[in-house]
Amino acid sequence: MNILLTGGAGYIGSHTAVALVEAGFRPIVLDNFSNSHPAVMERLARITGTTIPLERGDVLDTPWVESVLRQHRPVGVVHFAADKAVGESVAQPLKYFHHNIGGAVSLLRAMEATASEADMPAPTLVFSSSATVYGDPASVPITEDFPRSHTNPYGHTKLVVEDMLTALNAAQPNWRIATLRYFNPVGAHPSGLIGEDPADIPNNLMPYVAQVAIGRHEALSVFGDDYPTPDGTGVRDYIHVQDLAAGHVAALQTLLNKGKSFTVNLGTGRGHSVLEVVKAFERASGRPVPYRIAPRRPGDVAQCWADPTRAEALLGWKAQRTLDEMCADAWRWQQGNPNGYRP
Ligand code: WQD
């Protein structure tokens, strides 16, 4: 059974491709490599022992996406292709509205245009959403019925696409749609062959800590230690990318087997502070991670972690891996690929 992965050469997409092969699916990667690297395809072949088909192009090219759908007739589509840097989205909102909302509209229109054609499977979509749609939560842990809001254009695009999917499903109930709200994906495949490959200086905590451990930066700036948290630093629900990939497989299987649309949090249900991550990374790497306390980062919230009960009940899925495993796998990837996929 073919599964089309838009943005499938990216961080979450590539790990999901491996998990899909292991679950007996045939993933097809659709990517323009605007935020990923062609070298990923060879790494995927090494891990899976099979050549994963690549459709190189832009999800915004609707007629081309239609041709890809007609050629591969996927039983499901996972929409990863989007830009995801919060800070960049504030500086370049139009780029984010164009790529993230325009890209989703293009994909959905291509799926709608081909859905009624002979031998096309029922439209089945998994959407890569984000806990960022919860804005600054009034309390933690967060359940799926919490109010949504946006504090930056990136989060706004995720919220808008979620609303588009709700309206589409109301108009066309035959669509099977899973909206997955990721918390903080970190780590890498245990082979160390694929992992997170930030384009330049990482905005996110884990890749930055890994680069401090390997000596690319002198120290980590801890954005605030005066939050109302146990040690004063920000608390987040870090989830291993392997658990996240497994969540996508479980979501697809649930859509295909039960046929009902749903929205779930994909998190561990546990929060860890910045300083806990620093200590875990020092244990995993055996390297010091020096840090300095810096001013709070605008837009950051104090605490954000999931209540994953619905995903566990609906999908039979639960995150398994610990923070120490996340750090050990992130470190193995960092050590083996100091410049990511670039030579
Ligand atoms: C985590 C914690 C920072 C860097 C963002 C997006 C979210 C998702 C994941 C796309 C916070 C602190 C960080 C640093 C630090 N992205 N920190 N020094 O902000 O929770 O979520 O990335 O889907 O949508 O909003 O993740 O890793 O940037 O920050 O102290 O150099 O680490 O203040 O408490 P965040 P993060």
Side-chain angles (χ1 to χ4, degrees):
M1 291 188 287
N2 290 346
I3 303 289
L4 181 66
L5 306 181
T6 74
Y11 175 40
I12 317 295
S14 55
H15 287 81
T16 302
V18 172
L20 283 168
V21 170
E22 289 168 353
F25 289 98
R26 182 172 177 267
I28 291 118
V29 167
L30 182 155
D31 210 305
N32 65 356
F33 299 116
S34 61
N35 197 20
S36 53
H37 198 286
V40 171
M41 301 311 294
E42 182 270 329
R43 302 290 182 91
L44 291 177
R46 281 171 63 185
I47 295 171
T48 62
T50 180
T51 299
I52 291 176
L54 168 66
E55 294 288 353
R56 182 165 188 166
D58 194 328
V59 71
L60 283 158
D61 180 350
T62 312
W64 175 71
V65 176
E66 285 183 32
S67 70
V68 170
L69 291 168
R70 289 190 182 100
Q71 181 183 342
H72 296 286
R73 299 185 183 288
V75 296
V77 178
V78 187
H79 183 43
F80 293 108
D83 296 314
K84 55 152 272 183
V86 169
E88 185 188 43
S89 81
V90 175
Q92 300 183 57
L94 273 186
K95 171 182 175 181
Y96 275 69
F97 291 124
H98 184 209
H99 289 178
N100 293 9
I101 297 174
V105 169
S106 175
L107 171 66
L108 295 171
R109 295 191 69 208
M111 289 178 72
E112 185 180 53
T114 56
S116 55
E117 293 171 4
D119 302 331
M120 283 301 278
T124 302
L125 176 79
V126 174
F127 173 56
S128 165
S129 190
S130 166
T132 203
V133 301
Y134 295 117
D136 187 355
S139 61
V140 280
I142 299 171
T143 58
E144 290 83 357
D145 57 354
F146 266 35
R148 296 176 309 148
S149 65
H150 55 86
T151 57
N152 56 72
Y154 161 74
H156 196 174
T157 67
K158 290 301 183 183
L159 204 149
V160 167
V161 175
E162 286 196 4
D163 289 346
M164 280 170 29
L165 294 175
T166 301
L168 173 60
N169 223 174
Q172 301 184 49
N174 63 313
W175 284 61
R176 304 175 300 188
I177 300 172
T179 294
L180 308 183
R181 292 174 180 161
Y182 307 165
F183 278 68
N184 289 62
V186 294
H189 188 270
S191 66
L193 290 173
I194 56 175
E196 190 170 8
D197 181 20
D200 42 34
I201 295 178
N203 297 305
N204 294 140
L205 179 67
M206 187 67 85
Y208 196 97
V209 164
Q211 290 185 7
V212 171
I214 205 156
R216 277 180 66 175
H217 307 293
E218 261 183 42
L220 167 75
S221 296
V222 175
F223 297 145
D225 68 345
D226 57 352
Y227 284 102
T229 61
D231 66 14
T233 65
V235 173
R236 296 291 186 276
D237 187 331
Y238 298 98
I239 176 171
H240 198 297
V241 66
Q242 289 289 92
D243 282 326
L244 198 61
H248 286 73
V249 174
L252 273 166
Q253 289 168 331
T254 303
L255 284 180
L256 294 170
N257 299 335
K258 296 185 182 162
K260 280 178 61 64
S261 298
F262 56 85
T263 294
V264 290
N265 291 333
L266 291 187
T268 66
R270 265 205 69 181
H272 290 286
S273 74
V274 175
L275 296 184
E276 284 179 295
V277 171
V278 167
K279 294 290 168 259
F281 208 94
E282 289 181 326
R283 285 195 300 273
S285 64
R287 303 280 186 89
V289 177
Y291 65 87
R292 65 175 79 88
I293 303 301
R296 290 185 176 191
R297 178 172 65 175
D300 272 353
V301 301
Q303 305 191 86
C304 177
W305 71 83
D307 176 335
T309 308
R310 184 188 289 180
E312 291 168 18
L314 213 52
L315 312 183
W317 167 90
K318 184 174 171 59
Q320 305 296 321
R321 293 159 179 91
T322 64
L323 181 63
D324 285 345
E325 288 173 277
M326 297 174 208
C327 292
D329 291 337
W331 176 239
R332 187 178 308 107
W333 158 253
Q334 178 66 60
Q335 276 194 305
N337 306 272
N339 298 315
Y341 293 109
R342 286 165 294 283

